[in-house]
Amino acid sequence: MQFTRAEGYGLLGVIYLANQDQDQVIPLSEIATAEDVPEKFLAKIFQNLTKTGIVRSHRGVKGGFSLNRSPDEITVRAVVEAIQGPYHIIRCLNDNDNDCCQKTENCPLRDVLAEAEEKLLGVFSSYTIADLQNWKSKVRSRKS
């Protein structure tokens, strides 16, 4: 399991929007340039973020994106799952996946992986975009 580029780019884009005035519409090209992300890739990511209501798309000459909710209402988990769907460490932990290995019921790793997934999702759920907006000041205060 690896954190994907799409997830990282999506989070960077949402954080960038969070750092702008709430009523400001930001062109995708500006976000891509500021975060050094390929614009076409970011466009696909932002389609998913729009569908799930995390960001709002504005059409027209002055079009672009804005946050659809307050940064303190958007969790890391919400952004990650908007981009990739429900987050699972391994396929067999997805109850809807009937195409898993045959050892699901007797697997010695399943409980360990389920616990790891639960903790990871707990961390993703406990941090908001507002927390990530302020990470630099938090890191500096820990070093002092």
Side-chain angles (χ1 to χ4, degrees), residues 1-140:
M1 180 198 97
Q2 278 189 324
F3 199 75
T4 67
R5 282 188 185 151
E7 294 161 347
Y9 290 165
L11 283 163
L12 289 174
V14 172
I15 294 165
Y16 185 83
L17 288 177
N19 285 325
Q20 310 309 309
D21 290 336
Q22 285 291 93
D23 58 345
Q24 191 174 3
V25 177
I26 308 299
L28 188 68
S29 59
E30 179 181 327
I31 301 166
T33 300
E35 297 301 332
D36 196 25
V37 174
E39 188 173 345
K40 287 185 179 183
F41 191 24
L42 193 61
K44 291 179 183 181
I45 295 166
F46 267 59
Q47 283 178 348
N48 290 335
L49 294 170
T50 300
K51 285 179 191 173
T52 56
I54 292 173
V55 300
R56 185 169 174 224
S57 174
H58 303 267
R59 296 181 182 258
V61 176
K62 294 185 179 186
F65 294 91
S66 61
L67 282 187
N68 202 33
R69 292 185 263 159
S70 171
D72 61 352
E73 296 174 358
I74 304 169
T75 64
V76 170
R77 180 178 181 175
V79 175
V80 167
E81 289 190 340
I83 295 165
Q84 299 291 358
Y87 212 83
H88 295 288
I89 288 179
I90 192 165
R91 286 178 44 201
C92 67
L93 294 177
N94 179 357
D95 292 333
N96 298 326
D97 190 354
N98 296 324
D99 194 28
C100 229
C101 76
Q102 302 301 318
K103 297 182 182 198
T104 300
E105 296 299 318
N106 301 313
C107 180
L109 295 174
R110 194 172 201 287
D111 289 342
V112 171
L113 294 173
E115 182 180 345
E117 179 179 291
E118 182 181 328
K119 289 181 180 181
L120 176 64
L121 291 175
V123 170
F124 284 176
S125 296
S126 70
Y127 285 93
T128 66
I129 296 305
D131 294 326
L132 298 180
Q133 280 182 276
N134 302 316
W135 75 270
K136 284 184 183 178
S137 61
K138 289 179 185 177
V139 169
R140 284 187 197 120

